[in-house]
Structure formats: structure tokens, C-alpha cells
Amino acid sequence: MKYIPTQDYSFLLDENHYVYDHVEDEDSLHIYIKSKEHGCKCPLCEKMNTKLHATYRKKYQDTPIHCKQTFLHANVYKYDCENRDCECKVFMEDLPFAKASFSLSDLL
Ligand SMILES: [Zn+2]
């Protein structure tokens, strides 16, 4: 092996997300990310919610790491807003890396 692969991708993450796998080949790097179960604030009413609605997979293209095209595969949580008066019934959790990355597709 030419170099030692790093497993420290913590710069992409916050305390609620972790990397559970990564696959590297000649010209691309795939990083697999999961959420820990955690409460999430509704973006509309800002109530803290813990009721999971579903998980789904999303794929992001990130800026190259080690000069390789980098893809983030994330298992993302959706939450039900538990506030009955809120118009937002289901919302997606906030992802620390999603704002800076480009979402390729919904895989579900
Ligand atoms: Zn709400």
C-alpha cells in the first residue's frame, strides 16, 4: 500500500454523525455516514422532536479528498414534528456536511 488511509473524517461530521465504512479505489472515495439517534429541532416551530419518521439514503458529492472524487453516502433521519399546531409534519434532520456539498440524488 502506497499510503496509510485515514479514517478520520470527523471534519465532515458533528457529534450526531459517524462514519461506519469507507471504500477507496483508483480514483474515487466513498464515505458511509450514519446518524446517531438524536433529537432534532423542527425547522418551522423549533420544537425538539425525537419521534423518527423514516430513514433514507442520500448521496452527496464532496470536494475531492486525496485528489480523489469523493462521495458521501448518508443514512438520513426524517422526524415527525410532535407539535400538533405546527404545519411542518415531517422534516429532514440537519446534516453538517449537506450545506457545503451537492446532493446528487435521493436513492429511495
Ligand atoms: Zn414543528
Side-chain angles (χ1 to χ4, degrees):
M1 192 173 278
K2 281 178 274 181
Y3 53 83
I4 300 162
T6 178
Q7 298 209 17
D8 183 13
Y9 300 115
S10 56
F11 60 92
L12 292 168
L13 307 170
D14 61 14
E15 71 277 8
N16 294 321
H17 300 86
Y18 63 98
V19 172
Y20 68 94
D21 201 6
H22 75 282
V23 177
E24 197 165 355
D25 60 24
E26 284 288 302
D27 45 32
S28 65
L29 174 66
H30 296 263
I31 300 172
Y32 294 85
I33 294 166
K34 257 186 182 162
S35 287
K36 294 174 193 167
E37 231 178 281
H38 60 282
C40 223
K41 262 189 191 171
C42 171
L44 205 61
C45 69
E46 300 200 324
K47 178 182 163 44
M48 187 61 100
N49 293 283
T50 53
K51 198 176 164 202
L52 284 181
H53 180 79
T55 61
Y56 66 109
R57 300 186 64 158
K58 247 174 130 59
K59 187 176 175 187
Y60 298 90
Q61 188 169 1
D62 204 0
T63 48
I65 298 174
H66 305 181
C67 299
K68 294 185 178 190
Q69 200 166 30
T70 302
F71 296 94
L72 307 176
H73 303 262
N75 281 347
V76 181
Y77 283 141
K78 280 180 178 174
Y79 287 88
D80 289 329
C81 183
E82 293 169 86
N83 178 0
R84 284 164 185 264
D85 299 326
C86 181
E87 285 176 30
C88 178
K89 301 298 174 211
V90 178
F91 62 93
M92 193 186 105
E93 68 171 312
D94 229 5
L95 296 170
F97 49 84
K99 283 162 194 155
S101 306
F102 176 65
S103 173
L104 287 180
S105 60
D106 274 341
L107 299 180
L108 195 91

